[in-house]
């Protein structure tokens, strides 16, 4: 009988954890202050674009491929939006410096290196464009 209670308890905890992770995935977060950008990130910023989406990925990350396709498509159809994918597999110090704990993480930067927003997981296209709209309009 005790085994059944342990099983039920485990299922409840696992379900709650899964729902929490699903709810957090793709949510847009406010920027974290960073004093200086790591060289790979600073070099990836497009000075001609009002917003550069820097995607931090790892080699064997399946959601990273989905995010890359989505962000490449958005950057291709949205004026003033650039996209760069940085693989941090062999440069974990970049992710550590930026406070990135999971991949994919997408960080939107202004041309001066100021962080505008960040998204952990696969972003939702409509939500991302809505959040970036004020930054894209001010430059047009």
């Amino acid at each position: 009988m005790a085994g059944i209670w342990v099983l039920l308890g485990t299922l409840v905890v696992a379900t709650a954890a899964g729902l929490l992770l699903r709810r957090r995935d793709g949510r847009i977060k406010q920027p974290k202050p960073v004093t200086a950008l790591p060289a790979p990130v600073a070099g990836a910023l497009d000075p001609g674009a009002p917003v550069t989406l820097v995607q931090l990925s790892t080699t064997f990350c399946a959601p990273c491929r989905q995010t890359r396709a989505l962000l490449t498509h958005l950057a291709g159809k949205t004026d003033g939006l650039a996209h760069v994918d940085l693989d941090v597999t062999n440069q974990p110090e970049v992710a550590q410096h930026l406070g990135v704990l999971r991949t994919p993480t997408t960080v939107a930067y202004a041309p001066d290196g100021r962080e505008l927003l960040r998204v952990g997981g696969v972003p939702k296209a409509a939500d991302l464009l809505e959040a970036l709209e004020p930054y894209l309009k001010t430059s047009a």
Side-chain angles (χ1 to χ4, degrees), residues 19-88:
L19 291 173
L20 177 65
L21 289 174
R22 178 188 276 177
R23 180 176 165 88
R24 293 184 61 196
D25 193 41
R27 224 171 76 199
I28 296 172
K29 299 173 183 111
Q30 294 305 311
K32 296 180 178 183
V34 174
T35 53
L37 293 176
V41 176
L45 297 183
D46 183 348
V51 178
T52 300
L53 298 174
V54 177
Q55 176 187 343
L56 300 164
S57 304
T58 50
T59 303
F60 298 106
C61 166
C64 294
R65 290 188 288 277
Q66 182 181 358
T67 300
R68 184 179 311 111
L70 172 75
L71 296 180
T72 300
H73 175 72
L74 286 179
K77 74 172 193 159
T78 307
D79 289 335
L81 189 62
H83 169 246
V84 176
D85 185 11
L86 287 179
D87 188 335
V88 294

